[in-house]
């Protein structure tokens, strides 16, 4: 697999990651609680920026951990069986996103248990400084590992077979693109857009986002299967 194809896989995986909504939901909760407690705009910006930073750091840590684990287990390139399992996971998660990522209630309630949703809401309400917001950002990304684990795994498989400098580039690409949605929401909130407008847009487009995320996972699984498994099986390097 050449470098261009490898980076294309990482880019698509990061776009899939960016389409998931748990971190976005927690960010809007943090913003809403901050407004409700009548904190200053500057303080709210610091809290939300701390959250986005925490989400980015956890994403980099998870991707690096997956890559380190794979490299220590398989070396510079994993067996085709591992790639096949990763493709199967992508397809399975894609179908799961279509079936139950959003609850069937009105609004943008996600798949997570209601008790855990209340815990995140209480955590966001109790967040008072940037360090706590940073920790909340870490937690929000880790909590969605059930869905982001598949694109992270495929990206890590690509990562371990790249040269050193391209590994750093791939990590940077994944981190930046996966944070794209969070960053856009943060910019919108920072520029004065009302939270109700953002929530209204999310609710109106949630089915499109759900279909896109599930479809992108299936496309990614097929692309990886063709690029890595079929090409190697037919003797093409």
């Amino acid at each position: 697999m050449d470098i261009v194809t490898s980076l294309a896989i990482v880019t698509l995986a990061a776009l899939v990651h960016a389409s998931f909504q748990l971190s976005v939901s927690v960010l809007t909760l943090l913003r809403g609680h901050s407004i409700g407690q009548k904190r200053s705009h500057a303080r709210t910006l610091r809290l939300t920026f701390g959250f986005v930073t925490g989400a980015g750091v956890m994403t980099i840590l998870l991707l690096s951990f997956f890559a380190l684990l794979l490299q220590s287990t398989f070396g510079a390139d994993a067996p085709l069986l591992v790639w096949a399992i990763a493709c199967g996971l992508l397809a399975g998660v894609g179908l799961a996103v279509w079936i139950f990522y959003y609850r069937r209630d009105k609004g943008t309630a996600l798949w997570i248990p209601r008790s855990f949703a209340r815990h995140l809401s209480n955590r966001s309400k109790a967040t008072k400084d940037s360090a706590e917001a940073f920790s909340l950002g870490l937690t929000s990304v880790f909590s969605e590992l059930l869905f982001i684990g598949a694109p992270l795994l495929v990206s890590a498989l690509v990562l371990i077979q790249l040269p050193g400098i391209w590994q750093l580039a791939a990590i940077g690409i994944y981190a930046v693109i996966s944070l794209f949605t969070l960053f856009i929401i943060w910019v919108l909130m920072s520029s004065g857009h009302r939270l109700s407008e953002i929530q209204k847009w999310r609710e109106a487009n949630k089915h499109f986002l759900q279909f896109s995320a599930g479809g992108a996972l299936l496309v990614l699984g097929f692309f990886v299967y063709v690029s890595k498994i079929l090409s190697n099986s037919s003797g093409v390097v």
Side-chain angles (χ1 to χ4, degrees):
M1 189 185 298
D2 58 37
I3 291 177
V4 173
T5 303
S6 297
L7 294 182
I9 291 173
V10 171
T11 299
L12 182 54
L15 285 171
V16 172
H17 185 141
S19 68
F20 293 128
Q21 296 291 303
L22 180 56
S23 292
V24 173
S25 295
V26 179
L27 178 62
T28 56
L29 279 174
L30 180 61
R31 168 75 172 182
H33 288 314
S34 186
I35 293 174
Q37 294 170 0
K38 297 182 179 180
R39 293 171 179 153
S40 67
H41 183 63
R43 186 177 180 186
T44 300
L45 285 183
R46 288 195 297 272
L47 289 176
T48 51
F49 183 74
F51 177 92
V52 174
T53 303
V57 169
M58 179 55 79
T59 299
I60 293 173
L61 288 176
L62 285 173
L63 179 56
S64 301
F65 173 75
F66 275 40
L68 179 62
L69 184 62
L70 289 169
Q71 191 165 37
S72 63
T73 304
F74 303 112
D77 196 7
L80 290 182
L81 176 61
V82 177
W83 285 91
I85 291 172
C87 291
L89 284 174
L90 288 170
V93 173
L95 293 175
V97 169
W98 280 348
I99 295 170
F100 64 82
Y101 187 72
Y102 282 102
R103 290 179 177 268
R104 298 188 179 182
D105 308 327
K106 290 184 177 180
T108 56
L110 299 178
W111 58 275
I112 59 175
R114 295 300 86 194
S115 59
F116 187 62
R118 287 191 294 271
H119 170 72
L120 290 175
S121 179
N122 293 335
R123 279 282 311 276
S124 62
K125 187 175 183 179
T127 298
K128 298 178 181 178
D129 55 47
S130 297
E132 291 177 335
F134 180 87
S135 174
L136 187 61
L138 297 174
T139 302
S140 71
V141 173
F142 189 80
S143 299
E144 199 154 48
L145 192 58
L146 179 64
F147 286 97
I148 65 173
L152 281 170
L153 174 61
V154 168
S155 297
L157 285 169
V158 170
L159 204 64
I160 63 174
Q161 65 178 13
L162 289 172
I165 188 66
W166 287 108
Q167 288 182 351
L168 294 176
I171 291 173
I173 289 171
Y174 191 98
V176 170
I177 295 177
S178 66
L179 287 177
F180 183 74
T181 304
L182 273 180
F183 183 72
I184 291 297
I185 297 295
W186 182 80
V187 169
L188 289 174
M189 293 189 301
S190 303
S191 59
H193 284 74
R194 290 185 301 175
L195 191 58
S196 59
E197 295 174 345
I198 298 172
Q199 281 296 100
K200 185 177 180 181
W201 185 92
R202 290 181 64 217
E203 183 172 354
N205 293 276
K206 70 177 186 179
H207 295 302
F208 170 76
L209 294 172
Q210 182 177 14
F211 177 80
S212 298
L217 281 162
L218 294 175
V219 169
L220 178 60
F222 179 76
F223 182 57
V224 172
Y225 183 80
V226 171
S227 301
K228 183 66 180 181
I229 298 175
L230 285 187
S231 64
N232 280 20
S233 299
S234 61
V236 178
V237 178

